[in-house]
Amino acid sequence: MKILVIGSGGREHALVWKLAQSLRTEVLYCAPGNGGIADETLASNGGKVSCVDIKADDLEGLLEFVRAHPVDLTVVGPDNPLSMGIVDLFEEHGFKIWGPNAKAAQFEASKAFSQAFMERHDIPTARSGVFTSPSEALEFAASLNGRCAVKADGLALGKGVLMTNDMPGAEKAIHALMTEKAFGSAGNQVVIQEKLEGIEISMHVLCDGKTLLPFETSQDHKRALDGDKGLNTGGMGTYSPAPFLGSDQMDGIRQSILDPWLDGCLKESIDFRGMLYPGLMLTTEGPKVLEFNARFGDPETQVYLMRMQNDLPSLLLACVEGRLDEHHLEWSPQAATCVVMASGGYPEAYLKGKVISGIHAAESHPSVKVFHAGTLLADDHQLRSNGGRVLGVTALGESLEDATHRAYDAVSKIHFETCHFRRDIAAKAL
Ligand code: AMP
Ligand code: GLY
C-alpha cells in the first residue's frame, strides 16, 4: 500500500513508525512530518519515509498531492483538517481517507454539539450549560459556586479549558475566554461544566460506523507540572494500561456510554469512521464523559502503538471500508510509558531552536523509542527544538514500573536547553 499520513507531531511520528513496520506498506509519505519522521525506514523494502512540505490544513495542496502521486490510503492525525472537511473533500474525489467526515468530527470541533448530543442520548456527563452571553455564563457558574470547567466551544489545541474553584476564578476565566478572546473565535460560545472529581482516563475506540473496537486503557497527564499543577497542556505523558478499570467496568462503559453513543449516531445519520476518543472521569456516581475527541490522542498514540500487535494499515483500511467486524485488537502484555520533554514555558511562550543531543543513546535500549513532536533538522544538520512539546520518550517494560523506569532512564540521556518534563508520569498507578 502507498500511504500518506497528515500531521507533524509525536502522534504522527508514532503512526508513521507503526505503519512503516507493516510489510503491506510499500511507500509512506508524511505531510509535513518532522525531523524524526523523515528518519524512519520501511520494513518491506528499506525505503525511507518521504516528508512533503504541505501543511496539515492546506486541504487543496494535499488533494493535489494525492492526485499527482498514487496513494491508496490517507491517514489524518490532527483535528483541524478533519473539522475543515478533508475527509469529505477526498471522498468526493474518490480517494480513500481514514478519519471522520466534517459532520462526525463535530464531536471534537464543537463542545456545545457534543454536550447537546449527550443530553439527547442520555450519556452520562457533567451538569453543563452552553453560553454566548458572559452574564448568563456567570449566572450558571454562580449556581455551581464557581467550581467549574470553563471551555471554549471550538478547537484550541487542548488548552481552551480553564478550571476554577470559586467565583472570582470563574469570572476571570469567563472574561478571558469570552471578552478577551484568549482562544480567538473558539471562545465565542463557551460550555460551562460542573467540576467533576475522580480519576481521569482516556479511552480510544475505533469505529467504522457500525462496529466499535475499544482499545485498552491509558492515562494522560494534562497539566504542565508535577502533582497535576499548572496549566492544561496538550498532554505531558501517558501510560498504558491504566489499572483503574476492570473488565466489569469496561463492560459498564460500553453499556452506559459507547453503545448509546453509537445508537445516537445511527439515529442522527452520523457516519463516524475513525477514532472516538472520550475523556472520562471515574466519579463515585460512575464514569462520566468530560469531552469527546475524534482522532488519536497525543501522547496516547505513542503508548498504544508501542503495545499494539495488529497490522495498522489493514486495521485502518478496514475501518474506512466498514469491515472492522473482521478484526479484533491484539495487545502486547507489556506496559508502556511515554514522558513528554517540552520546551520550558510551554503551554505559554517558549523558545525554539535549541540543539537536542542524546537521542541515539536514549534509543540504545531496544524497548525505547523516542518519538519526535516538535523537532526540525536545521540547515546546519543539527536536530533542534521546534515546538512546545519536543519529544515523547516511550518505553515498554514487563511491568508499568519497568516501563516507567526505562522511559525516565532514556530521558536522562537527552539534553536541550530549557527542557522541561514531568517527573511523575504513571506515579498514580504505581
Ligand atoms: P477537555 O479538553 O474538555 O478534556 O478538558 C481538558 C482537561 O480539563 C481534561 O482532561 C480534564 O483534566 C479537565 N476537565 C475538563 N472538564 C472537566 C470537568 N467537568 N471536571 C473536571 N475536570 C475537567
Ligand atoms: N492527550 C490529549 C489529546 O490528545 O488531546
Side-chain angles (χ1 to χ4, degrees):
M1 277 167 76
K2 299 179 182 65
I3 303 175
L4 166 66
V5 174
I6 296 177
S8 61
R11 162 185 52 212
E12 288 77 19
H13 189 185
L15 286 165
V16 163
W17 171 80
K18 181 73 179 163
L19 291 166
Q21 285 167 26
S22 168
L23 296 179
R24 290 190 73 179
T25 307
E26 304 155 274
V27 176
L28 190 49
Y29 303 105
C30 188
N34 65 33
I37 290 173
D39 220 26
E40 293 295 338
T41 304
L42 304 188
S44 69
N45 56 23
K48 277 281 184 198
V49 173
S50 307
C51 287
V52 286
D53 190 16
I54 309 173
K55 293 220 161 55
D57 58 3
D58 178 2
L59 271 45
E60 288 300 328
L62 292 163
L63 181 65
E64 211 172 291
F65 181 82
V66 295
R67 278 182 162 149
H69 300 76
V71 165
D72 304 303
L73 179 67
T74 298
V75 177
V76 187
D79 47 28
N80 206 16
L82 293 170
S83 69
M84 290 167 71
I86 192 167
V87 172
D88 313 62
L89 180 72
F90 273 41
E91 285 181 345
E92 269 165 37
H93 289 85
F95 295 108
K96 282 197 175 142
I97 179 163
W98 179 86
N101 59 28
K103 185 174 181 188
Q106 283 182 97
F107 279 108
E108 173 153 15
S110 169
K111 290 182 190 287
F113 168 87
S114 274
Q115 211 61 42
F117 182 94
M118 287 192 274
E119 274 157 37
R120 284 198 294 282
H121 300 287
D122 286 328
I123 295 171
T125 180
R127 232 181 98 204
S128 73
V130 180
F131 305 95
T132 49
S133 133
S135 61
E136 286 170 20
L138 280 170
E139 209 174 297
F140 185 71
S143 76
L144 301 172
N145 296 321
R147 291 183 53 73
C148 30
V150 183
K151 305 186 175 190
D153 174 50
L155 299 176
L157 296 173
K159 295 177 237 164
V161 175
L162 301 173
M163 304 302 304
T164 67
N165 288 316
D166 49 30
M167 269 320 280
E171 276 165 31
K172 212 170 131 199
I174 290 168
H175 187 72
L177 259 60
M178 302 191 82
T179 313
E180 290 174 349
K181 303 271 188 240
F183 299 99
S185 60
N188 288 347
Q189 184 161 250
V190 299
V191 174
I192 297 185
Q193 291 181 333
E194 73 180 301
K195 185 173 183 178
L196 295 176
E197 305 290 343
I199 293 172
E200 188 180 343
I201 58 156
S202 302
M203 283 206 72
H204 277 55
V205 188
L206 205 52
C207 177
D208 66 359
K210 32 188 209 294
T211 299
L212 297 172
L213 286 186
F215 277 29
E216 293 222 330
T217 47
S218 71
Q219 189 178 44
D220 190 8
H221 298 66
K222 296 276 176 86
R223 302 295 195 95
L225 307 176
D226 286 7
D228 293 330
K229 304 235 160 52
L231 292 173
N232 266 319
T233 68
M236 294 298 292
T238 42
Y239 63 91
S240 172
F244 311 110
L245 286 179
S247 59
D248 281 1
Q249 282 157 307
M250 283 295 273
D251 289 346
I253 288 175
R254 177 131 199 169
Q255 279 162 22
S256 68
I257 295 171
L258 301 180
D259 289 342
W261 174 83
L262 184 58
D263 283 347
C265 287
L266 292 171
K267 284 192 188 119
E268 299 192 20
S269 303
I270 299 170
D271 183 15
F272 192 105
R273 294 173 194 232
M275 187 66 82
L276 181 74
Y277 153 18
L280 301 184
M281 190 71 91
L282 307 179
T283 74
T284 49
E285 294 166 9
K288 295 189 182 183
V289 177
L290 295 176
E291 62 158 355
F292 286 120
N293 299 299
R295 54 175 170 79
F296 274 100
D298 187 348
E300 285 87 343
T301 308
Q302 289 82 322
V303 288
Y304 277 137
L305 295 187
M306 289 281 278
R307 296 189 59 220
M308 180 183 270
Q309 305 289 299
N310 299 69
D311 181 69
L312 189 60
S314 305
L315 196 61
L316 298 183
L317 190 63
C319 185
V320 173
E321 294 177 347
R323 295 184 290 100
L324 275 185
D325 57 349
E326 297 169 9
H327 290 257
H328 69 274
L329 296 172
E330 288 165 41
W331 301 101
S332 158
Q334 291 191 305
T337 300
C338 171
V339 179
V340 169
M341 299 180 79
S343 300
Y346 170 79
E348 296 185 292
Y350 54 84
L351 295 172
K352 291 187 196 178
K354 304 296 178 191
V355 174
I356 304 166
S357 64
I359 292 185
H360 196 64
E363 284 187 329
S364 60
H365 195 290
S367 297
V368 172
K369 176 71 192 170
V370 178
F371 293 112
H372 294 224
T375 71
L376 175 80
L377 197 57
D379 292 340
D380 59 2
H381 302 290
Q382 302 250 44
L383 188 72
R384 288 176 183 270
S385 63
N386 191 41
R389 292 188 292 176
V390 178
L391 300 168
V393 180
T394 312
L396 285 170
E398 291 312 311
S399 64
L400 188 58
E401 200 166 8
D402 289 342
T404 306
H405 279 148
R406 197 167 279 156
Y408 276 108
D409 187 47
V411 164
S412 72
K413 297 178 179 153
I414 299 177
H415 301 279
F416 56 93
E417 248 178 77
T418 80
C419 168
H420 162 73
F421 58 90
R422 276 182 63 161
R423 290 167 199 275
D424 63 348
I425 303 302
K428 282 191 202 107
L430 292 175

